[in-house]
Structures are given as structure tokens and as C-alpha cells.
């Protein structure tokens, strides 16, 4: 995985919806990278988020709260330094934005966590209403099982 890659963006002309959706997602990723927010702030309360594959977290989450409570909160609790994304590519087609990115941070056990993700995000009314995430389940499972979410373990 290379974290020094230059962002390659879809250069075709975008309609107003695509341009707005790209702006919302890019702003969320910029805030995440800068430590001032995250793309999850744009999640609708009733959003669904699917983690595809065979990771310990793979399933469909049926609300923002379900996803944040069962994945993002426990993930962040395992980190000593926040996960930071580097976008490789970002595309928009209609109501969908696709983000291909690397992310890296340090787990509480001092070991770097690195993964590459592809997110397919469907937006409506300036909110993410559906997310589908693909990533390396082996790297994720190792991290998730190696590092406890609570500091007492």
C-alpha cells in the first residue's frame, strides 16, 4: 500500500447533484484527515451501512447509531492515534460517490493499522443514506481481535 499517491479524480463534467455530492464527501474526508470531523457526520440517522466480506464486522448496519456504536466507536477505542485517510480516487455518478482510499493509524498496542478501502456512498438531500464498504478483512480481523476495545482488557 502506498500512502503517498496523488489523488486521481473523475474529470468528466458533473451535473449539479454529482458536484454537490462530491463536495459533501470530499469535505468529510478532508475533516477526517485533518482531525476536525469525519464523513460520518453526513450519515442520515436511518442510513444503512454494509460491510461486505467475511470480517468480524461484516453485516448490514440498519442505522447511523447501529454503525457508530458497533463499528466506529469500538474501532476508535482500539487506536492510540486516529486513523487518517488518503484518497486515491473519487468518483461521482448520479446519487453515488465512490471513494477508493488508504487509511493508517497506530493501534493501542503500538502496531500500525493500515488498510485500503472502497466505499460506495449513496446520497439524498445532502446526507449519506447508504454506504457499502470493502476492505482487507484479514488486516481488519487481526487488528480487531488483537487489540481490545476497552482499556481494562
Amino acid at each position: 500500500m502506498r500512502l503517498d499517491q496523488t489523488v486521481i479524480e473523475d474529470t468528466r463534467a458533473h451535473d449539479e447533484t454529482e458536484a454537490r455530492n462530491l463536495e459533501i464527501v470530499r469535505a468529510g474526508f478532508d475533516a477526517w484527515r485533518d482531525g476536525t470531523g469525519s464523513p460520518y457526520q453526513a450519515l442520515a440517522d436511518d442510513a444503512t451501512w454494509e460491510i461486505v466480506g467475511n470480517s468480524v464486522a461484516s453485516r448490514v448496519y440498519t442505522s447511523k447509531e447501529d454503525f457508530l456504536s458497533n463499528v466506529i466507536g469500538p474501532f476508535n477505542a482500539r487506536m492510540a492515534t486516529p486513523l487518517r485517510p488518503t484518497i486515491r480516487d473519487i468518483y461521482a455518478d448520479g446519487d453515488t460517490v465512490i471513494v477508493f482510499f488508504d487509511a493508517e493509524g497506530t493501534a493501542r498496542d503500538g502496531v500500525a493499522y493500515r488498510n485500503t478501502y472502497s466505499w460506495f456512498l449513496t446520497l439524498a438531500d445532502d446526507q449519506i443514506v447508504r454506504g457499502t464498504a470493502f476492505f482487507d478483512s484479514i488486516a481488519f480481523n487481526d487488528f480487531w481481535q488483537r487489540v481490545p476495545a476497552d482499556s481494562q482488557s
Side-chain angles (χ1 to χ4, degrees), residues 28-54:
F29 270 80
D30 288 349
W32 184 12
R33 179 198 63 222
D34 297 341
T36 59
S38 79
Y40 308 123
Q41 292 171 290
L43 273 177
D45 289 340
D46 61 349
T48 61
W49 191 280
E50 180 179 8
I51 297 177
V52 177
N54 297 303

Side-chain angles (χ1 to χ4, degrees), residues 6 11-12 21 26 29 51 56 101 108 111 121 125-126 133 142 145 150:
T6 302
T11 57
R12 70 178 177 83
N21 290 344
R26 190 179 297 111
F29 270 80
I51 297 177
V56 294
F101 67 99
R108 280 199 348 254
V111 176
L121 306 171
D125 299 321
D126 295 342
D142 173 68
Q145 294 167 342
D150 65 306

Side-chain angles (χ1 to χ4, degrees), residues 61-78:
Y61 297 85
T62 58
S63 69
K64 179 178 184 175
E65 177 60 31
D66 184 20
F67 178 61
L68 295 180
S69 294
N70 290 297
V71 178
I72 302 307
F75 186 99
N76 290 339
R78 289 171 163 86

